[in-house]
Amino acid sequence: MAKDYYALLGVRRDAGQDEIKRAYRRLARELHPDVNPDPETQDKFKEITQAYEVLSDPDKRQMYDLGADPFASATTGAGGFGGFGAAGFPFSEFVDAVFGAAGQTAGRGPRSRSRRGRNATIRIELDLSECAFGATRELTVDTAVVCPTCSGEGTAPGTHPVTCDVCAGRGEISQVRRSFLGQVMTTSACPACGGFGTVLPRPCPECDGDGRVRTRRTMKVRIPAGVEDGTHIQLAGEGEIGPGGGPPGDLFLEVVQRPHAIFERQGDDLHCTLTIPMVAAALGATVSVESLDGPSDVDIRPGTQSGQVIPLYGLGVKHLSGNGRGDLVIHVTVETPSRLDAEQEKLLRELAKLRGEEAPPGKFQPGQQGFFSRLRDAFNGR
């Protein structure tokens, strides 16, 4: 490169437009012919003006940074842009010549009509028990399959693809064009055959040359145990057949777990709330509760408080990536009776008298134990 425009203006190569403008104005005030008529100074003024014209124009600056001087003469050689006159040469042609055309001269060859099909995703709703233990579902899928008439070839019965006359089967054509770099050979897809190298004299009447048709098919799918809401199950090769009878893509099942009337799922653990009478909480009892495995007995310890948790180990959801299951965690709520008959009220007052609770003072505490602390204590048997 003959001139360093950045050095002429005294700015860095990453200088912004405002910095370049300020540098030029400062130098122009010093070197302008009206201020300094010296011939050497006038040449310097022309140089900074030329530098500013290049660096202030984004396109010209980009060309300059790529190694070309927009003001170089036609005889400059490879270092400049031959023939870049006052009218300028389109920057798009420079990019096309350097990065597009030069990159295409190697030749790509004909494209195959057979291409891999697209992946497809469908949503499948499952109950909690199906997610926990797995299930087998029969799905109806609207998809693309190989055309039964042409077997994916895309041509009418009795015909076959023929070699393109324009590109002679290469799938591409080459052109020589003149640019500021001289003669450049560019290669592009053949417009007659679309880059395939062959043409279909008579496209298949059923698929119109695509080699596939849309239809509905039914398939059985095994849902593994342990899936949850948002899980994606990949079924390799069960997606759409590709154009030209190409290999199929994959089918993905997105699991949507329906809400359960009793249980709330957290990971592989299930949580539910059990409400028990006040007397049962005080004296203890055995209560039958529902689980995914059916009824299960739960022992309520005497003195159980509202908010305590009781874990039933191994009654949760099966682990998706291993053996074992999560737990069923029961949150206890003690129900205080709101209506008492005379006999019940009398008995409770006698109990309060015996326990010295006729006028209880109450107890104030700085805070209540959090849910996870209670859960930890329950698992530790406290």
Side-chain angles (χ1 to χ4, degrees):
M1 188 177 294
K3 300 178 182 178
D4 187 343
Y5 291 146
Y6 292 100
L8 286 173
L9 294 181
V11 297
R12 303 184 310 275
R13 298 191 69 86
D14 59 350
Q17 290 296 321
D18 291 340
E19 185 178 349
I20 292 174
K21 183 182 295 185
R22 288 195 299 269
Y24 172 69
R25 288 179 175 177
R26 183 181 67 254
L27 292 172
R29 285 194 296 267
E30 299 175 1
L31 304 175
H32 197 278
D34 293 340
V35 177
N36 197 334
D38 181 68
E40 184 176 346
T41 304
Q42 293 182 15
D43 292 339
K44 187 70 173 178
F45 178 76
K46 292 179 181 179
E47 289 181 347
I48 67 168
T49 301
Q50 181 175 304
Y52 177 70
E53 184 176 344
V54 172
L55 299 185
S56 63
D57 186 303
D59 286 346
K60 292 180 181 179
R61 183 178 180 179
Q62 188 172 2
M63 284 188 287
Y64 176 75
D65 290 340
L66 289 171
D69 187 348
F71 287 98
S73 65
T75 59
T76 301
F81 286 162
F84 197 106
F89 201 91
F91 180 65
S92 59
E93 185 168 341
F94 163 71
V95 175
D96 180 63
V98 175
F99 299 104
Q104 295 176 1
T105 54
R108 298 168 298 178
R111 293 190 298 135
S112 173
R113 292 186 182 274
S114 177
R115 301 192 302 276
R116 186 180 185 273
R118 296 183 304 175
N119 296 334
T121 301
I122 61 175
R123 303 179 72 186
I124 178 172
E125 293 189 356
L126 300 175
D127 294 329
L128 177 59
S129 59
E130 293 176 313
C131 291
F133 303 122
T136 299
R137 282 295 191 88
E138 191 173 85
L139 303 178
T140 300
V141 183
D142 184 5
T143 186
V145 298
V146 175
C147 176
T149 301
C150 66
S151 299
E153 195 172 27
T155 58
T159 65
H160 301 280
V162 297
T163 301
C164 176
D165 293 333
V166 176
C167 65
R170 294 190 303 272
E172 56 190 15
I173 57 175
S174 299
Q175 294 177 322
V176 177
R177 45 191 294 233
R178 297 182 59 84
S179 72
F180 56 86
L181 293 179
Q183 289 186 340
V184 178
M185 178 176 290
T186 62
T187 303
S188 59
C190 174
C193 63
F196 295 115
T198 59
V199 294
L200 306 180
R202 289 178 53 200
C204 173
E206 184 169 355
C207 66
D208 197 26
D210 192 40
R212 57 182 182 168
V213 294
R214 300 204 69 84
T215 187
R216 288 189 175 185
R217 63 186 179 95
T218 302
M219 57 186 298
K220 284 189 176 181
V221 177
R222 174 63 185 170
I223 308 298
V227 297
E228 60 183 323
D229 193 73
T231 298
H232 284 76
I233 303 172
Q234 182 179 7
L235 303 177
E238 295 293 345
E240 293 188 349
I241 290 292
D250 298 333
L251 177 63
F252 291 87
L253 304 181
E254 181 183 355
V255 174
V256 178
Q257 179 181 291
R258 299 190 187 101
H260 195 274
I262 299 176
F263 303 116
E264 178 183 346
R265 181 174 178 178
Q266 297 181 11
D268 288 341
D269 294 333
L270 300 178
H271 293 256
C272 68
T273 300
L274 174 64
T275 301
I276 59 174
M278 179 183 65
V279 176
L283 301 179
T286 299
V287 181
S288 179
V289 298
E290 288 295 326
S291 71
L292 294 181
D293 300 82
S296 182
D297 291 335
V298 177
D299 291 328
I300 305 297
R301 296 179 182 180
T304 295
Q305 303 297 311
S306 186
Q308 288 186 350
V309 294
I310 303 173
L312 299 182
Y313 300 104
L315 291 183
V317 177
K318 287 186 176 182
H319 298 317
L320 178 62
S321 57
N323 298 325
R325 297 173 58 179
D327 303 319
L328 172 59
V329 182
I330 299 175
H331 300 257
V332 177
T333 297
V334 178
E335 184 178 36
T336 302
S338 57
R339 293 183 179 181
L340 300 173
D341 58 27
E343 184 65 21
Q344 292 171 345
E345 183 177 351
K346 179 182 177 182
L347 292 174
L348 284 180
R349 290 188 181 279
E350 291 178 358
L351 177 61
K353 184 176 181 180
L354 290 173
R355 293 178 55 84
E357 298 175 354
E358 293 175 290
K363 296 180 180 180
F364 289 94
Q365 297 178 350
Q368 294 184 345
Q369 189 182 31
F371 163 74
F372 289 104
S373 297
R374 296 197 305 271
L375 183 62
R376 180 196 60 211
D377 292 345
F379 276 81
N380 291 333
R382 297 179 184 175

